[in-house]
């Protein structure tokens, strides 16, 4: 049995696309996933299954479509693979520096880094940094200057934004330990 994480995109943001985490947990359990846990109110579900990632993703997508009247993109990843991703984090990512905000952008397949980069563009030098590793992008920026960054508005307001889901470094670290 493997441990997985499902990241749901765009739920419970500013009172929109409401999903009650306790109900979501029960819905995941109804799919016969085991040891289901949720973290925060932003669509982080950790669970165990014997199924492969393609079947799991399809099951979750069908359940979400059946139970919610809005589209919820989902990204599923083996927890062990997330550990490997974090081992490849750039040195500048994930520090305890409170001036810097560190995020991990998960690219929902089939989107690629090339597509994301072509639409969003370069990171603004001195204000933000990005680095691609497999299906994720490490992204850090200055908290005080976030509105001046290139990626801040474009990760939420471009065509490719619907194919991304973002978590903070702290959230990712917590999920990998659950």
């Amino acid at each position: 049995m493997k441990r997985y994480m499902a990241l749901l995109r765009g739920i419970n943001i500013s009172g929109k696309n409401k999903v009650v985490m306790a109900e979501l947990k029960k819905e995941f359990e109804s799919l016969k996933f085991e040891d289901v846990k949720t973290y925060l109110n932003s669509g982080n579900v950790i669970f165990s299954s014997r199924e492969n990632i393609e079947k799991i993703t399809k099951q979750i997508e069908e359940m979400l479509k059946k139970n919610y009247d809005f589209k919820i993109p989902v990204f599923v990843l083996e927890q062990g693979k997330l550990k490997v991703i974090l081992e490849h984090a750039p040195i500048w990512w994930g520090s305890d520096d409170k001036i810097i905000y560190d995020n991990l952008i998960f690219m929902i397949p089939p989107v690629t880094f090339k597509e994301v980069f072509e639409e969003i563009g370069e990171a603004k030098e001195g204000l933000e940094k990005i680095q691609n590793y497999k299906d994720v992008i490490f992204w850090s920026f200055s908290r005080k200057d976030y509105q001046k960054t290139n990626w801040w508005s474009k990760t939420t307001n471009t065509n490719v934004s619907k194919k991304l889901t973002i978590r903070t470094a702290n959230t990712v670290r917590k999920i990998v330990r659950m």
Side-chain angles (χ1 to χ4, degrees), residues 91-106:
I91 193 128
W92 48 260
W93 188 87
S95 73
D96 291 329
D97 186 348
K98 301 295 183 209
I99 296 170
I100 302 300
Y101 198 61
D102 298 305
N103 291 287
L104 193 57
I105 302 173
F106 296 88

Side-chain angles (χ1 to χ4, degrees), residues 62-74:
E62 288 173 359
M63 176 270 295
L64 293 171
K65 186 176 182 181
K66 183 177 108 181
N67 292 318
Y68 299 94
D69 61 353
F70 50 91
K71 183 163 175 47
I72 305 173
V74 62

Side-chain angles (χ1 to χ4, degrees), residues 6-178:
L7 304 177
L8 282 58
R9 183 193 180 283
I11 66 167
N12 300 331
I13 298 172
S14 302
K16 296 179 186 172
N17 298 339
K18 288 194 162 239
V19 173
V20 176
M21 291 295 105
E23 291 174 14
L24 185 65
K25 180 179 189 266
K26 288 178 185 174
E27 291 162 355
F28 269 70
E29 290 169 339
S30 76
L31 296 173
K32 306 297 183 216
F33 298 144
E34 297 180 24
D35 193 23
V36 178
K37 298 180 188 312
T38 61
Y39 180 65
L40 299 176
N41 202 31
S42 56
N44 306 299
V45 186
I46 300 88
F47 58 95
S48 297
S49 176
R50 287 182 169 72
E51 300 297 339
N52 66 48
I53 204 161
E54 291 80 14
K55 184 172 182 178
I56 290 168
T57 302
K58 185 176 179 180
Q59 287 178 293
I60 295 168
E61 288 173 341
E62 288 173 359
M63 176 270 295
L64 293 171
K65 186 176 182 181
K66 183 177 108 181
N67 292 318
Y68 299 94
D69 61 353
F70 50 91
K71 183 163 175 47
I72 305 173
V74 62
F75 180 81
V76 179
L77 182 68
E78 276 184 49
Q79 197 176 34
K81 288 188 178 181
L82 181 58
K83 288 178 185 176
V84 172
I85 288 168
L86 292 180
E87 289 168 2
H88 288 86
I91 193 128
W92 48 260
W93 188 87
S95 73
D96 291 329
D97 186 348
K98 301 295 183 209
I99 296 170
I100 302 300
Y101 198 61
D102 298 305
N103 291 287
L104 193 57
I105 302 173
F106 296 88
M107 296 177 281
I108 300 171
V111 76
T112 65
F113 176 72
K114 182 179 185 231
E115 292 172 83
V116 174
F117 190 80
E118 284 175 355
E119 191 160 336
I120 296 178
E122 295 277 345
K124 278 203 181 162
E125 193 171 331
L127 295 177
E128 62 185 334
K129 294 178 184 178
I130 61 166
Q131 183 172 314
N132 173 237
Y133 178 76
K134 299 199 177 197
D135 294 332
V136 300
I137 303 167
F138 294 94
W139 174 39
S140 297
F141 56 87
S142 164
R143 286 179 186 264
K144 69 177 181 126
D145 295 319
Y146 73 93
Q147 291 179 325
K148 296 176 187 174
T149 68
N150 189 39
W151 280 58
W152 178 261
S153 64
K154 292 181 181 178
T155 54
T156 58
N157 295 318
T158 59
N159 291 329
V160 77
S161 69
K162 292 172 180 51
K163 300 170 187 171
L164 308 173
T165 189
I166 304 170
R167 300 297 186 274
T168 67
N170 289 338
T171 295
V172 172
R173 286 187 185 118
K174 176 70 174 182
I175 289 170
V176 88
R177 291 189 306 262
M178 292 180 78

